PDB file of all heavy atoms in Angstrom:
ATOM      1  N   ALA A1495     -11.573 -10.638  -9.079  1.00 95.00           N
ATOM      2  CA  ALA A1495     -10.159 -10.421  -9.170  1.00 95.00           C
ATOM      3  C   ALA A1495      -9.726  -8.963  -9.103  1.00 95.00           C
ATOM      4  O   ALA A1495      -8.669  -8.616  -8.586  1.00 95.00           O
ATOM      5  CB  ALA A1495      -9.608 -11.086 -10.458  1.00 95.00           C
ATOM      6  N   THR A1496     -10.556  -8.085  -9.634  1.00 95.00           N
ATOM      7  CA  THR A1496     -10.315  -6.687  -9.639  1.00 95.00           C
ATOM      8  C   THR A1496     -10.232  -6.134  -8.209  1.00 95.00           C
ATOM      9  O   THR A1496      -9.282  -5.425  -7.797  1.00 95.00           O
ATOM     10  CB  THR A1496     -11.350  -5.918 -10.456  1.00 95.00           C
ATOM     11  OG1 THR A1496     -11.261  -6.305 -11.842  1.00 95.00           O
ATOM     12  CG2 THR A1496     -11.024  -4.406 -10.400  1.00 95.00           C
ATOM     13  N   TYR A1497     -11.312  -6.350  -7.416  1.00 94.00           N
ATOM     14  CA  TYR A1497     -11.316  -5.779  -6.106  1.00 94.00           C
ATOM     15  C   TYR A1497     -10.374  -6.454  -5.132  1.00 94.00           C
ATOM     16  O   TYR A1497      -9.722  -5.831  -4.259  1.00 94.00           O
ATOM     17  CB  TYR A1497     -12.711  -5.636  -5.513  1.00 94.00           C
ATOM     18  CG  TYR A1497     -13.308  -6.917  -4.940  1.00 94.00           C
ATOM     19  CD1 TYR A1497     -12.971  -7.247  -3.636  1.00 94.00           C
ATOM     20  CD2 TYR A1497     -14.284  -7.640  -5.620  1.00 94.00           C
ATOM     21  CE1 TYR A1497     -13.549  -8.417  -3.075  1.00 94.00           C
ATOM     22  CE2 TYR A1497     -14.871  -8.747  -4.996  1.00 94.00           C
ATOM     23  CZ  TYR A1497     -14.508  -9.133  -3.770  1.00 94.00           C
ATOM     24  OH  TYR A1497     -15.045 -10.230  -3.187  1.00 94.00           O
ATOM     25  N   LEU A1498     -10.167  -7.766  -5.301  1.00 96.00           N
ATOM     26  CA  LEU A1498      -9.202  -8.456  -4.484  1.00 96.00           C
ATOM     27  C   LEU A1498      -7.760  -8.038  -4.808  1.00 96.00           C
ATOM     28  O   LEU A1498      -6.964  -7.827  -3.938  1.00 96.00           O
ATOM     29  CB  LEU A1498      -9.320  -9.958  -4.665  1.00 96.00           C
ATOM     30  CG  LEU A1498     -10.614 -10.597  -4.076  1.00 96.00           C
ATOM     31  CD1 LEU A1498     -10.719 -12.098  -4.537  1.00 96.00           C
ATOM     32  CD2 LEU A1498     -10.598 -10.531  -2.579  1.00 96.00           C
ATOM     33  N   GLY A1499      -7.474  -7.824  -6.098  1.00 96.00           N
ATOM     34  CA  GLY A1499      -6.172  -7.363  -6.492  1.00 96.00           C
ATOM     35  C   GLY A1499      -5.893  -5.958  -5.991  1.00 96.00           C
ATOM     36  O   GLY A1499      -4.782  -5.652  -5.516  1.00 96.00           O
ATOM     37  N   SER A1500      -6.855  -5.088  -5.956  1.00 96.00           N
ATOM     38  CA  SER A1500      -6.687  -3.732  -5.381  1.00 96.00           C
ATOM     39  C   SER A1500      -6.403  -3.803  -3.878  1.00 96.00           C
ATOM     40  O   SER A1500      -5.587  -3.024  -3.420  1.00 96.00           O
ATOM     41  CB  SER A1500      -7.872  -2.879  -5.707  1.00 96.00           C
ATOM     42  OG  SER A1500      -9.074  -3.383  -5.074  1.00 96.00           O
ATOM     43  N   LEU A1501      -7.080  -4.686  -3.194  1.00 96.00           N
ATOM     44  CA  LEU A1501      -6.879  -4.772  -1.716  1.00 96.00           C
ATOM     45  C   LEU A1501      -5.474  -5.361  -1.454  1.00 96.00           C
ATOM     46  O   LEU A1501      -4.780  -4.833  -0.533  1.00 96.00           O
ATOM     47  CB  LEU A1501      -7.935  -5.742  -1.111  1.00 96.00           C
ATOM     48  CG  LEU A1501      -9.360  -5.129  -1.118  1.00 96.00           C
ATOM     49  CD1 LEU A1501     -10.351  -6.157  -0.567  1.00 96.00           C
ATOM     50  CD2 LEU A1501      -9.429  -3.835  -0.287  1.00 96.00           C
ATOM     51  N   TRP A1502      -5.051  -6.351  -2.236  1.00 97.00           N
ATOM     52  CA  TRP A1502      -3.704  -6.892  -1.986  1.00 97.00           C
ATOM     53  C   TRP A1502      -2.643  -5.876  -2.339  1.00 97.00           C
ATOM     54  O   TRP A1502      -1.570  -5.743  -1.699  1.00 97.00           O
ATOM     55  CB  TRP A1502      -3.521  -8.165  -2.823  1.00 97.00           C
ATOM     56  CG  TRP A1502      -4.134  -9.351  -2.153  1.00 97.00           C
ATOM     57  CD1 TRP A1502      -5.192 -10.077  -2.564  1.00 97.00           C
ATOM     58  CD2 TRP A1502      -3.667  -9.984  -0.923  1.00 97.00           C
ATOM     59  NE1 TRP A1502      -5.454 -11.117  -1.618  1.00 97.00           N
ATOM     60  CE2 TRP A1502      -4.535 -11.050  -0.650  1.00 97.00           C
ATOM     61  CE3 TRP A1502      -2.606  -9.722   0.011  1.00 97.00           C
ATOM     62  CZ2 TRP A1502      -4.371 -11.862   0.471  1.00 97.00           C
ATOM     63  CZ3 TRP A1502      -2.473 -10.497   1.093  1.00 97.00           C
ATOM     64  CH2 TRP A1502      -3.336 -11.559   1.339  1.00 97.00           C
ATOM     65  N   GLY A1503      -2.880  -5.100  -3.440  1.00 96.00           N
ATOM     66  CA  GLY A1503      -1.931  -4.068  -3.761  1.00 96.00           C
ATOM     67  C   GLY A1503      -1.823  -3.000  -2.705  1.00 96.00           C
ATOM     68  O   GLY A1503      -0.744  -2.513  -2.395  1.00 96.00           O
ATOM     69  N   THR A1504      -2.977  -2.625  -2.111  1.00 96.00           N
ATOM     70  CA  THR A1504      -2.917  -1.681  -0.979  1.00 96.00           C
ATOM     71  C   THR A1504      -2.151  -2.199   0.172  1.00 96.00           C
ATOM     72  O   THR A1504      -1.343  -1.480   0.772  1.00 96.00           O
ATOM     73  CB  THR A1504      -4.409  -1.396  -0.526  1.00 96.00           C
ATOM     74  OG1 THR A1504      -5.145  -0.855  -1.623  1.00 96.00           O
ATOM     75  CG2 THR A1504      -4.409  -0.413   0.646  1.00 96.00           C
ATOM     76  N   TRP A1505      -2.300  -3.507   0.508  1.00 96.00           N
ATOM     77  CA  TRP A1505      -1.521  -4.074   1.616  1.00 96.00           C
ATOM     78  C   TRP A1505      -0.039  -4.080   1.290  1.00 96.00           C
ATOM     79  O   TRP A1505       0.784  -3.684   2.167  1.00 96.00           O
ATOM     80  CB  TRP A1505      -2.075  -5.505   1.900  1.00 96.00           C
ATOM     81  CG  TRP A1505      -1.029  -6.407   2.530  1.00 96.00           C
ATOM     82  CD1 TRP A1505      -0.582  -7.597   2.006  1.00 96.00           C
ATOM     83  CD2 TRP A1505      -0.420  -6.302   3.831  1.00 96.00           C
ATOM     84  NE1 TRP A1505       0.329  -8.189   2.898  1.00 96.00           N
ATOM     85  CE2 TRP A1505       0.503  -7.384   3.967  1.00 96.00           C
ATOM     86  CE3 TRP A1505      -0.382  -5.276   4.762  1.00 96.00           C
ATOM     87  CZ2 TRP A1505       1.278  -7.532   5.117  1.00 96.00           C
ATOM     88  CZ3 TRP A1505       0.379  -5.430   5.897  1.00 96.00           C
ATOM     89  CH2 TRP A1505       1.203  -6.614   6.048  1.00 96.00           C
ATOM     90  N   PHE A1506       0.348  -4.482   0.071  1.00 96.00           N
ATOM     91  CA  PHE A1506       1.762  -4.529  -0.250  1.00 96.00           C
ATOM     92  C   PHE A1506       2.352  -3.090  -0.322  1.00 96.00           C
ATOM     93  O   PHE A1506       3.486  -2.891   0.122  1.00 96.00           O
ATOM     94  CB  PHE A1506       1.958  -5.211  -1.596  1.00 96.00           C
ATOM     95  CG  PHE A1506       1.775  -6.718  -1.501  1.00 96.00           C
ATOM     96  CD1 PHE A1506       0.849  -7.358  -2.312  1.00 96.00           C
ATOM     97  CD2 PHE A1506       2.463  -7.425  -0.597  1.00 96.00           C
ATOM     98  CE1 PHE A1506       0.688  -8.708  -2.230  1.00 96.00           C
ATOM     99  CE2 PHE A1506       2.336  -8.832  -0.521  1.00 96.00           C
ATOM    100  CZ  PHE A1506       1.444  -9.438  -1.317  1.00 96.00           C
ATOM    101  N   GLY A1507       1.592  -2.140  -0.784  1.00 96.00           N
ATOM    102  CA  GLY A1507       2.057  -0.746  -0.762  1.00 96.00           C
ATOM    103  C   GLY A1507       2.253  -0.185   0.594  1.00 96.00           C
ATOM    104  O   GLY A1507       3.278   0.444   0.906  1.00 96.00           O
ATOM    105  N   LEU A1508       1.269  -0.400   1.495  1.00 95.00           N
ATOM    106  CA  LEU A1508       1.404   0.047   2.825  1.00 95.00           C
ATOM    107  C   LEU A1508       2.445  -0.665   3.632  1.00 95.00           C
ATOM    108  O   LEU A1508       3.264  -0.071   4.342  1.00 95.00           O
ATOM    109  CB  LEU A1508       0.057  -0.098   3.565  1.00 95.00           C
ATOM    110  CG  LEU A1508      -0.036   0.274   5.044  1.00 95.00           C
ATOM    111  CD1 LEU A1508       0.360   1.708   5.248  1.00 95.00           C
ATOM    112  CD2 LEU A1508      -1.374  -0.036   5.624  1.00 95.00           C
ATOM    113  N   GLY A1509       2.474  -2.054   3.514  1.00 94.00           N
ATOM    114  CA  GLY A1509       3.470  -2.815   4.277  1.00 94.00           C
ATOM    115  C   GLY A1509       4.878  -2.522   3.752  1.00 94.00           C
ATOM    116  O   GLY A1509       5.782  -2.411   4.571  1.00 94.00           O
ATOM    117  N   GLY A1510       5.041  -2.387   2.492  1.00 95.00           N
ATOM    118  CA  GLY A1510       6.383  -2.114   1.962  1.00 95.00           C
ATOM    119  C   GLY A1510       6.890  -0.712   2.361  1.00 95.00           C
ATOM    120  O   GLY A1510       8.028  -0.562   2.752  1.00 95.00           O
ATOM    121  N   ALA A1511       5.985   0.298   2.340  1.00 95.00           N
ATOM    122  CA  ALA A1511       6.368   1.624   2.770  1.00 95.00           C
ATOM    123  C   ALA A1511       6.735   1.651   4.277  1.00 95.00           C
ATOM    124  O   ALA A1511       7.673   2.273   4.675  1.00 95.00           O
ATOM    125  CB  ALA A1511       5.227   2.628   2.537  1.00 95.00           C
ATOM    126  N   THR A1512       5.972   0.842   5.033  1.00 94.00           N
ATOM    127  CA  THR A1512       6.305   0.850   6.495  1.00 94.00           C
ATOM    128  C   THR A1512       7.588   0.084   6.731  1.00 94.00           C
ATOM    129  O   THR A1512       8.402   0.499   7.595  1.00 94.00           O
ATOM    130  CB  THR A1512       5.147   0.077   7.232  1.00 94.00           C
ATOM    131  OG1 THR A1512       3.924   0.728   6.943  1.00 94.00           O
ATOM    132  CG2 THR A1512       5.456   0.073   8.757  1.00 94.00           C
ATOM    133  N   ALA A1513       7.824  -1.022   6.043  1.00 93.00           N
ATOM    134  CA  ALA A1513       9.092  -1.772   6.198  1.00 93.00           C
ATOM    135  C   ALA A1513      10.294  -0.920   5.787  1.00 93.00           C
ATOM    136  O   ALA A1513      11.338  -1.002   6.378  1.00 93.00           O
ATOM    137  CB  ALA A1513       9.057  -3.027   5.375  1.00 93.00           C
ATOM    138  N   LEU A1514      10.134  -0.028   4.813  1.00 93.00           N
ATOM    139  CA  LEU A1514      11.187   0.892   4.346  1.00 93.00           C
ATOM    140  C   LEU A1514      11.251   2.187   5.174  1.00 93.00           C
ATOM    141  O   LEU A1514      12.133   3.017   4.853  1.00 93.00           O
ATOM    142  CB  LEU A1514      11.004   1.228   2.875  1.00 93.00           C
ATOM    143  CG  LEU A1514      11.113   0.039   1.886  1.00 93.00           C
ATOM    144  CD1 LEU A1514      10.793   0.460   0.481  1.00 93.00           C
ATOM    145  CD2 LEU A1514      12.520  -0.566   1.949  1.00 93.00           C
ATOM    146  N   ASP A1515      10.341   2.329   6.090  1.00 91.00           N
ATOM    147  CA  ASP A1515      10.293   3.506   6.945  1.00 91.00           C
ATOM    148  C   ASP A1515      10.205   4.775   6.154  1.00 91.00           C
ATOM    149  O   ASP A1515      10.958   5.753   6.408  1.00 91.00           O
ATOM    150  CB  ASP A1515      11.510   3.498   7.894  1.00 91.00           C
ATOM    151  CG  ASP A1515      11.370   4.459   9.084  1.00 91.00           C
ATOM    152  OD1 ASP A1515      10.223   4.742   9.431  1.00 91.00           O
ATOM    153  OD2 ASP A1515      12.433   4.906   9.677  1.00 91.00           O
ATOM    154  N   LEU A1516       9.280   4.841   5.266  1.00 92.00           N
ATOM    155  CA  LEU A1516       9.074   6.045   4.470  1.00 92.00           C
ATOM    156  C   LEU A1516       8.223   7.054   5.260  1.00 92.00           C
ATOM    157  O   LEU A1516       7.577   6.741   6.225  1.00 92.00           O
ATOM    158  CB  LEU A1516       8.348   5.724   3.148  1.00 92.00           C
ATOM    159  CG  LEU A1516       8.985   4.715   2.240  1.00 92.00           C
ATOM    160  CD1 LEU A1516       8.155   4.511   0.953  1.00 92.00           C
ATOM    161  CD2 LEU A1516      10.396   5.134   1.821  1.00 92.00           C
ATOM    162  N   GLY A1517       8.351   8.323   4.816  1.00 90.00           N
ATOM    163  CA  GLY A1517       7.553   9.357   5.465  1.00 90.00           C
ATOM    164  C   GLY A1517       6.047   9.268   5.147  1.00 90.00           C
ATOM    165  O   GLY A1517       5.621   8.454   4.333  1.00 90.00           O
ATOM    166  N   ASP A1518       5.264  10.135   5.794  1.00 89.00           N
ATOM    167  CA  ASP A1518       3.806  10.058   5.689  1.00 89.00           C
ATOM    168  C   ASP A1518       3.380  10.212   4.235  1.00 89.00           C
ATOM    169  O   ASP A1518       2.569   9.414   3.688  1.00 89.00           O
ATOM    170  CB  ASP A1518       3.171  11.114   6.549  1.00 89.00           C
ATOM    171  CG  ASP A1518       3.270  10.758   8.015  1.00 89.00           C
ATOM    172  OD1 ASP A1518       3.620   9.593   8.342  1.00 89.00           O
ATOM    173  OD2 ASP A1518       2.959  11.625   8.894  1.00 89.00           O
ATOM    174  N   GLU A1519       3.853  11.269   3.551  1.00 90.00           N
ATOM    175  CA  GLU A1519       3.407  11.506   2.221  1.00 90.00           C
ATOM    176  C   GLU A1519       3.870  10.359   1.242  1.00 90.00           C
ATOM    177  O   GLU A1519       3.097   9.868   0.440  1.00 90.00           O
ATOM    178  CB  GLU A1519       3.983  12.821   1.663  1.00 90.00           C
ATOM    179  CG  GLU A1519       3.358  14.064   2.245  1.00 90.00           C
ATOM    180  CD  GLU A1519       3.973  14.372   3.627  1.00 90.00           C
ATOM    181  OE1 GLU A1519       4.953  13.636   4.058  1.00 90.00           O
ATOM    182  OE2 GLU A1519       3.523  15.329   4.329  1.00 90.00           O
ATOM    183  N   ALA A1520       5.034   9.870   1.412  1.00 93.00           N
ATOM    184  CA  ALA A1520       5.561   8.777   0.605  1.00 93.00           C
ATOM    185  C   ALA A1520       4.787   7.463   0.881  1.00 93.00           C
ATOM    186  O   ALA A1520       4.548   6.684  -0.008  1.00 93.00           O
ATOM    187  CB  ALA A1520       7.058   8.574   0.845  1.00 93.00           C
ATOM    188  N   MET A1521       4.405   7.307   2.138  1.00 95.00           N
ATOM    189  CA  MET A1521       3.662   6.103   2.491  1.00 95.00           C
ATOM    190  C   MET A1521       2.253   6.130   1.882  1.00 95.00           C
ATOM    191  O   MET A1521       1.813   5.111   1.338  1.00 95.00           O
ATOM    192  CB  MET A1521       3.497   6.013   4.032  1.00 95.00           C
ATOM    193  CG  MET A1521       2.781   4.794   4.519  1.00 95.00           C
ATOM    194  SD  MET A1521       2.755   4.635   6.373  1.00 95.00           S
ATOM    195  CE  MET A1521       4.484   4.427   6.695  1.00 95.00           C
ATOM    196  N   TRP A1522       1.588   7.306   1.876  1.00 95.00           N
ATOM    197  CA  TRP A1522       0.300   7.449   1.202  1.00 95.00           C
ATOM    198  C   TRP A1522       0.447   7.136  -0.264  1.00 95.00           C
ATOM    199  O   TRP A1522      -0.294   6.419  -0.866  1.00 95.00           O
ATOM    200  CB  TRP A1522      -0.275   8.836   1.444  1.00 95.00           C
ATOM    201  CG  TRP A1522      -1.040   9.016   2.664  1.00 95.00           C
ATOM    202  CD1 TRP A1522      -0.643   9.667   3.799  1.00 95.00           C
ATOM    203  CD2 TRP A1522      -2.326   8.538   2.962  1.00 95.00           C
ATOM    204  NE1 TRP A1522      -1.605   9.606   4.753  1.00 95.00           N
ATOM    205  CE2 TRP A1522      -2.689   8.903   4.282  1.00 95.00           C
ATOM    206  CE3 TRP A1522      -3.262   7.821   2.223  1.00 95.00           C
ATOM    207  CZ2 TRP A1522      -3.910   8.639   4.870  1.00 95.00           C
ATOM    208  CZ3 TRP A1522      -4.491   7.475   2.825  1.00 95.00           C
ATOM    209  CH2 TRP A1522      -4.833   7.858   4.120  1.00 95.00           C
ATOM    210  N   ALA A1523       1.494   7.746  -0.862  1.00 96.00           N
ATOM    211  CA  ALA A1523       1.684   7.614  -2.309  1.00 96.00           C
ATOM    212  C   ALA A1523       1.936   6.131  -2.642  1.00 96.00           C
ATOM    213  O   ALA A1523       1.424   5.574  -3.642  1.00 96.00           O
ATOM    214  CB  ALA A1523       2.840   8.454  -2.837  1.00 96.00           C
ATOM    215  N   SER A1524       2.791   5.491  -1.855  1.00 96.00           N
ATOM    216  CA  SER A1524       3.087   4.061  -2.094  1.00 96.00           C
ATOM    217  C   SER A1524       1.841   3.194  -1.979  1.00 96.00           C
ATOM    218  O   SER A1524       1.546   2.329  -2.813  1.00 96.00           O
ATOM    219  CB  SER A1524       4.136   3.555  -1.145  1.00 96.00           C
ATOM    220  OG  SER A1524       4.305   2.168  -1.200  1.00 96.00           O
ATOM    221  N   THR A1525       1.013   3.424  -0.970  1.00 96.00           N
ATOM    222  CA  THR A1525      -0.189   2.638  -0.740  1.00 96.00           C
ATOM    223  C   THR A1525      -1.147   2.846  -1.876  1.00 96.00           C
ATOM    224  O   THR A1525      -1.694   1.830  -2.384  1.00 96.00           O
ATOM    225  CB  THR A1525      -0.866   3.099   0.555  1.00 96.00           C
ATOM    226  OG1 THR A1525       0.069   2.954   1.676  1.00 96.00           O
ATOM    227  CG2 THR A1525      -2.110   2.290   0.823  1.00 96.00           C
ATOM    228  N   LEU A1526      -1.315   4.079  -2.388  1.00 97.00           N
ATOM    229  CA  LEU A1526      -2.278   4.320  -3.441  1.00 97.00           C
ATOM    230  C   LEU A1526      -1.792   3.814  -4.791  1.00 97.00           C
ATOM    231  O   LEU A1526      -2.535   3.189  -5.557  1.00 97.00           O
ATOM    232  CB  LEU A1526      -2.512   5.816  -3.544  1.00 97.00           C
ATOM    233  CG  LEU A1526      -3.156   6.450  -2.281  1.00 97.00           C
ATOM    234  CD1 LEU A1526      -3.074   7.991  -2.356  1.00 97.00           C
ATOM    235  CD2 LEU A1526      -4.594   6.008  -2.176  1.00 97.00           C
ATOM    236  N   LEU A1527      -0.493   4.026  -5.106  1.00 97.00           N
ATOM    237  CA  LEU A1527       0.004   3.617  -6.428  1.00 97.00           C
ATOM    238  C   LEU A1527       0.085   2.097  -6.552  1.00 97.00           C
ATOM    239  O   LEU A1527      -0.319   1.556  -7.560  1.00 97.00           O
ATOM    240  CB  LEU A1527       1.415   4.249  -6.625  1.00 97.00           C
ATOM    241  CG  LEU A1527       1.435   5.793  -6.828  1.00 97.00           C
ATOM    242  CD1 LEU A1527       2.826   6.260  -6.912  1.00 97.00           C
ATOM    243  CD2 LEU A1527       0.698   6.158  -8.140  1.00 97.00           C
ATOM    244  N   VAL A1528       0.614   1.443  -5.508  1.00 97.00           N
ATOM    245  CA  VAL A1528       0.671  -0.064  -5.562  1.00 97.00           C
ATOM    246  C   VAL A1528      -0.733  -0.620  -5.563  1.00 97.00           C
ATOM    247  O   VAL A1528      -1.038  -1.659  -6.124  1.00 97.00           O
ATOM    248  CB  VAL A1528       1.536  -0.599  -4.434  1.00 97.00           C
ATOM    249  CG1 VAL A1528       1.600  -2.098  -4.569  1.00 97.00           C
ATOM    250  CG2 VAL A1528       2.966   0.047  -4.519  1.00 97.00           C
ATOM    251  N   GLY A1529      -1.671   0.048  -4.847  1.00 97.00           N
ATOM    252  CA  GLY A1529      -3.042  -0.413  -4.858  1.00 97.00           C
ATOM    253  C   GLY A1529      -3.608  -0.344  -6.235  1.00 97.00           C
ATOM    254  O   GLY A1529      -4.341  -1.266  -6.711  1.00 97.00           O
TER     255      GLY A1529
END
């Protein structure tokens, strides 16, 4: 559950940042934090 949760969090962070059209630094931060 730990590693699967981290992978799903990474996907939601990256996909959400892309859907919101965030900049590169904000996209990295979103991907990492939500992961």
Side-chain angles (χ1 to χ4, degrees):
T1496 298
Y1497 80 79
L1498 289 171
S1500 63
L1501 292 177
W1502 280 111
T1504 300
W1505 155 239
F1506 287 124
L1508 175 61
T1512 305
L1514 296 174
D1515 197 21
L1516 301 182
D1518 288 347
E1519 290 81 3
M1521 182 177 295
W1522 275 106
S1524 170
T1525 303
L1526 296 167
L1527 289 173
V1528 181

